[in-house]
Amino acid sequence: QVQLVESGGGLVQPGGSLKLSCVASGSIVRDNAMGWYRQAPGKERELVAVITSGGSTNYADSVKGRFTISRDNGKNTVYLQMNSLKPEDTAVYYCKVAYIDYSGRYLEVWGQGTLVTVSS
């Protein structure tokens, strides 16, 4: 079974920085995509950033230039470096991995989420 565990959330002041980590355990094919999503109260869950095992990235317009997604393929870990944080970034952040397994099945696994609160 694949499991994702996020860490690094907490309270930070506007303009501050925070780095989230997500560690995947279990068997995951090499070709995969890992990403960060967030959900604020009363809002739909939205994409923050994704990165493929090949290193291609995509970011939400709202975080471009402020957030950086990276990964360590050897450790099956994805990171989200968040700089210049704004109150609007306050949300529960979720890690996700998506891939096609060797049987041709699409698998999508979510972490439990970590709360990021940006407030003075």
Side-chain angles (χ1 to χ4, degrees), residues 47-89:
L47 170 71
V48 177
V50 294
I51 184 168
T52 69
S53 52
S56 298
T57 60
N58 286 103
Y59 295 91
D61 288 340
S62 59
V63 306
K64 286 181 178 177
R66 299 189 298 120
F67 291 10
T68 302
I69 189 169
S70 62
R71 63 186 293 164
D72 184 331
N73 290 336
K75 297 180 179 180
N76 279 330
T77 301
V78 64
Y79 306 92
L80 185 67
Q81 177 65 51
M82 303 183 292
N83 299 324
S84 301
L85 283 162
K86 305 174 181 179
E88 305 92 274
D89 296 318

